[in-house]
Amino acid sequence: KLSFEDEITWGKDMLRRHALHAKHLYFIMGNHEQRLERQIWAKAGEFAFAVNDLDVLLDLENLTSGWVPYGRHIEFLSFVFTHGDIVRTQSAYTARAMYDKYASSGASGHTHRCAAYSDTDMRLRSHTWFEMGCLCLRGMDYVTSFANWQNGFIVGTVYDNVFYPQLIHVIEHGSGRGFVVNGERYVV
């Protein structure tokens, strides 16, 4: 129930906090950001030329290592990050389709589900594509039935110029929700 201006301020504050703990912080635009920009431009009418895009409003040039427009990807140490643009009925099927599209290890979040698909190529190199879940509320008003979404995220560690990803599921249990990273338990 925040105003648009409040949401932009909140988003910039969140990026500042994340930047304190990340050596590399990239913002990957998704279909929701693209939809928002289209709405802003449509409502601006003849003043659309004077309206800032979301990357300017969020000050992404100064608050991140870079940003990626919707539909594009970034490669970091041979690992692909993208919002994703494929949805299959079953989550691991989407991970498989994204792997087939990029022929690389990588991660996407478009489906809001947690899953992984692994494959070994003819050079005996193993690849894994991750659907990294979401950190959003799952009981959204616009979802007419239940949403097959899982809360989760990717944590990556770099050793000797190699990126080691881990898919972290937020697990629901009797007393709430939580997850474990590097042996430490976090309660949500």
Side-chain angles (χ1 to χ4, degrees):
K1 306 291 181 188
L2 300 173
S3 71
F4 181 66
E5 185 177 358
D6 289 341
E7 285 195 46
I8 293 298
T9 300
W10 179 82
K12 288 165 64 172
D13 288 344
M14 184 181 66
L15 288 169
R16 279 188 199 96
R17 287 192 311 269
H18 283 22
L20 293 173
H21 304 286
K23 189 172 183 177
H24 304 281
L25 177 65
Y26 290 90
F27 191 97
I28 300 176
M29 299 280 192
N31 55 308
H32 296 273
E33 289 85 2
Q34 184 187 52
R35 189 178 312 136
L36 174 63
E37 283 190 339
R38 283 197 316 260
Q39 285 295 317
I40 292 170
W41 295 330
K43 292 183 187 306
E46 65 182 275
F47 296 104
F49 71 92
V51 175
N52 286 326
D53 287 338
L54 195 55
D55 61 291
V56 175
L57 290 172
L58 288 173
D59 195 19
L60 296 181
E61 186 174 324
N62 293 313
L63 296 177
T64 67
S65 303
W67 65 277
V68 181
Y70 179 55
R72 303 266 177 89
H73 69 277
I74 187 169
E75 279 190 64
F76 179 72
L77 299 175
S78 301
F79 192 88
V80 173
F81 290 95
T82 185
H83 177 77
D85 57 359
I86 298 173
V87 177
R88 299 287 187 261
T89 305
Q90 304 298 323
S91 59
Y93 293 12
T94 302
R96 165 70 191 263
M98 292 299 293
Y99 168 75
D100 288 345
K101 178 177 181 175
Y102 286 95
S104 173
S105 292
S108 54
H110 183 58
T111 64
H112 299 210
R113 296 183 296 216
C114 291
Y117 171 79
S118 296
D119 187 50
T120 301
D121 67 20
M122 66 182 186
R123 291 177 187 81
L124 300 178
R125 293 190 64 198
S126 179
H127 303 278
T128 301
W129 192 277
F130 298 93
E131 289 178 75
M132 58 184 153
C134 65
L135 295 175
C136 62
L137 297 173
R138 293 179 301 143
M140 303 302 276
D141 293 340
Y142 62 87
V143 178
T144 56
S145 64
F146 77 94
N148 183 13
W149 299 345
Q150 296 86 45
N151 290 138
F153 54 95
I154 292 279
V155 172
T157 305
V158 175
Y159 286 109
D160 294 329
N161 220 29
V162 176
F163 181 73
Y164 294 90
Q166 292 178 294
L167 178 60
I168 307 298
H169 289 253
V170 177
I171 304 297
E172 297 166 25
H173 46 79
S175 58
R177 299 181 302 146
F179 57 90
V180 174
V181 175
N182 295 329
E184 186 158 343
R185 180 175 172 240
Y186 298 86
V187 176
V188 180

